[in-house]
Amino acid sequence: MSTDNEFEQYDSMSLIDLIREMRKVQIEKEQVEVDLKTYNKHFDFLRITKIPQVMEDEGIKNMSVEGVGRVSLTADMHVSVKAECKEAFYLWLRDNGREDLIQPTVNSSTLKATVKNMVKKGEEIPDELLNVSPFTRASITKS
Protein backbone atom coordinates (compact mmCIF):
# COMPACT_ATOMS: atom_id res chain seq x y z
CA MET A 1 0.00 0.00 0.00
CA SER A 2 1.41 3.38 -0.92
CA THR A 3 1.09 6.63 0.97
CA ASP A 4 0.43 10.08 -0.44
CA ASN A 5 3.91 11.19 0.69
CA GLU A 6 5.46 8.51 -1.47
CA PHE A 7 4.39 10.37 -4.61
CA GLU A 8 4.96 13.99 -3.50
CA GLN A 9 8.08 14.12 -5.68
CA TYR A 10 5.84 14.24 -8.76
CA ASP A 11 3.75 17.23 -7.63
CA SER A 12 6.18 19.86 -8.90
CA MET A 13 7.07 18.10 -12.18
CA SER A 14 5.96 19.32 -15.58
CA LEU A 15 4.10 16.99 -17.91
CA ILE A 16 7.28 16.41 -19.96
CA ASP A 17 9.22 15.57 -16.77
CA LEU A 18 6.44 13.22 -15.63
CA ILE A 19 6.57 11.41 -18.98
CA ARG A 20 10.35 11.13 -18.79
CA GLU A 21 10.07 9.83 -15.23
CA MET A 22 7.46 7.30 -16.35
CA ARG A 23 9.83 6.06 -19.07
CA LYS A 24 12.70 5.84 -16.55
CA VAL A 25 10.55 3.83 -14.15
CA GLN A 26 9.36 1.63 -17.04
CA ILE A 27 12.97 0.81 -18.01
CA GLU A 28 13.88 0.07 -14.37
CA LYS A 29 10.76 -2.11 -13.99
CA GLU A 30 11.61 -4.09 -17.13
CA GLN A 31 15.14 -4.70 -15.80
CA VAL A 32 13.79 -5.85 -12.43
CA GLU A 33 11.46 -8.27 -14.26
CA VAL A 34 14.43 -9.68 -16.22
CA ASP A 35 16.41 -9.98 -12.98
CA LEU A 36 13.44 -11.67 -11.29
CA LYS A 37 13.25 -14.29 -14.07
CA THR A 38 16.95 -15.03 -13.52
CA TYR A 39 16.52 -15.28 -9.75
CA ASN A 40 13.48 -17.53 -10.20
CA LYS A 41 15.44 -19.87 -12.52
CA HIS A 42 18.27 -20.18 -9.98
CA PHE A 43 15.83 -20.56 -7.06
CA ASP A 44 13.85 -23.28 -8.88
CA PHE A 45 17.02 -25.13 -9.92
CA LEU A 46 18.24 -25.17 -6.31
CA ARG A 47 14.92 -26.13 -4.71
CA ILE A 48 13.60 -28.55 -7.36
CA THR A 49 16.76 -30.11 -8.78
CA LYS A 50 20.06 -29.66 -6.97
CA ILE A 51 19.21 -29.68 -3.25
CA PRO A 52 16.72 -32.61 -3.48
CA GLN A 53 19.27 -34.54 -5.59
CA VAL A 54 22.11 -33.99 -3.07
CA MET A 55 19.86 -34.67 -0.06
CA GLU A 56 18.57 -37.90 -1.63
CA ASP A 57 22.13 -38.96 -2.64
CA GLU A 58 23.27 -38.41 0.95
CA GLY A 59 20.16 -40.06 2.46
CA ILE A 60 19.06 -36.87 4.21
CA LYS A 61 15.32 -36.25 4.62
CA ASN A 62 15.61 -33.02 6.63
CA MET A 63 18.26 -31.00 8.41
CA SER A 64 18.75 -27.76 10.27
CA VAL A 65 21.16 -25.13 9.00
CA GLU A 66 22.27 -22.45 11.40
CA GLY A 67 21.08 -19.02 10.32
CA VAL A 68 18.71 -20.53 7.74
CA GLY A 69 16.29 -22.91 9.39
CA ARG A 70 15.07 -26.46 8.86
CA VAL A 71 15.34 -27.81 5.31
CA SER A 72 13.16 -30.73 4.28
CA LEU A 73 12.06 -32.46 1.09
CA THR A 74 8.41 -32.18 0.14
CA ALA A 75 6.64 -34.19 -2.55
CA ASP A 76 4.88 -31.99 -5.10
CA MET A 77 3.63 -32.19 -8.70
CA HIS A 78 2.61 -30.19 -11.74
CA VAL A 79 -0.88 -31.08 -13.01
CA SER A 80 -2.68 -29.86 -16.13
CA VAL A 81 -5.45 -31.10 -18.38
CA LYS A 82 -4.22 -32.30 -21.77
CA ALA A 83 -5.41 -29.70 -24.28
CA GLU A 84 -7.22 -32.20 -26.50
CA CYS A 85 -8.91 -33.90 -23.51
CA LYS A 86 -10.69 -31.00 -21.80
CA GLU A 87 -14.25 -32.15 -22.56
CA ALA A 88 -13.44 -35.80 -21.80
CA PHE A 89 -11.87 -34.73 -18.49
CA TYR A 90 -14.96 -32.70 -17.55
CA LEU A 91 -17.07 -35.77 -18.28
CA TRP A 92 -14.70 -37.84 -16.09
CA LEU A 93 -15.09 -35.29 -13.27
CA ARG A 94 -18.89 -35.53 -13.52
CA ASP A 95 -18.82 -39.36 -13.67
CA ASN A 96 -16.55 -39.51 -10.60
CA GLY A 97 -18.46 -37.13 -8.34
CA ARG A 98 -16.05 -34.23 -8.74
CA GLU A 99 -18.23 -31.88 -10.78
CA ASP A 100 -17.74 -29.23 -8.08
CA LEU A 101 -14.30 -28.60 -9.67
CA ILE A 102 -15.88 -27.55 -12.96
CA GLN A 103 -15.98 -23.81 -13.51
CA PRO A 104 -15.62 -22.06 -16.85
CA THR A 105 -12.11 -23.45 -16.24
CA VAL A 106 -10.83 -25.80 -13.56
CA ASN A 107 -8.71 -23.87 -11.07
CA SER A 108 -5.17 -25.20 -11.44
CA SER A 109 -4.42 -25.04 -7.70
CA THR A 110 -7.63 -26.89 -6.89
CA LEU A 111 -6.89 -29.49 -9.57
CA LYS A 112 -3.37 -29.99 -8.22
CA ALA A 113 -4.63 -30.35 -4.64
CA THR A 114 -7.32 -32.81 -5.75
CA VAL A 115 -4.86 -34.97 -7.71
CA LYS A 116 -2.34 -34.92 -4.83
CA ASN A 117 -5.13 -36.06 -2.48
CA MET A 118 -6.15 -38.80 -4.92
CA VAL A 119 -2.55 -40.03 -5.13
CA LYS A 120 -2.28 -40.00 -1.32
CA LYS A 121 -5.48 -42.10 -1.08
CA GLY A 122 -4.29 -44.51 -3.80
CA GLU A 123 -7.08 -43.53 -6.18
CA GLU A 124 -6.62 -44.00 -9.92
CA ILE A 125 -5.63 -40.86 -11.86
CA PRO A 126 -6.97 -40.55 -15.43
CA ASP A 127 -3.48 -40.43 -17.02
CA GLU A 128 -5.00 -40.34 -20.49
CA LEU A 129 -6.63 -36.97 -19.64
CA LEU A 130 -4.04 -35.28 -17.42
CA ASN A 131 -0.37 -34.39 -17.50
CA VAL A 132 0.96 -35.24 -14.04
CA SER A 133 4.65 -34.64 -13.28
CA PRO A 134 5.58 -35.38 -9.68
CA PHE A 135 8.70 -33.67 -8.35
CA THR A 136 10.40 -33.04 -5.05
CA ARG A 137 11.27 -29.55 -3.88
CA ALA A 138 13.32 -28.23 -1.01
CA SER A 139 11.68 -25.82 1.39
CA ILE A 140 13.05 -23.80 4.28
CA THR A 141 11.13 -23.38 7.51
CA LYS A 142 12.47 -20.60 9.70
CA SER A 143 13.72 -21.90 13.01
Side-chain angles (χ1 to χ4, degrees), residues 98-126:
R98 298 182 188 276
E99 59 276 349
D100 56 317
L101 293 176
I102 301 172
Q103 304 292 320
T105 61
V106 175
N107 179 286
S108 61
S109 295
T110 304
L111 176 60
K112 175 180 160 179
T114 300
V115 171
K116 283 176 74 173
N117 192 37
M118 290 171 67
V119 168
K120 192 181 289 185
K121 290 180 177 179
E123 296 179 30
E124 189 172 330
I125 306 300

Side-chain angles (χ1 to χ4, degrees), residues 123-139:
E123 296 179 30
E124 189 172 330
I125 306 300
D127 292 333
E128 69 281 3
L129 303 176
L130 295 173
N131 298 309
V132 178
S133 305
F135 65 94
T136 302
R137 64 177 164 79
S139 58

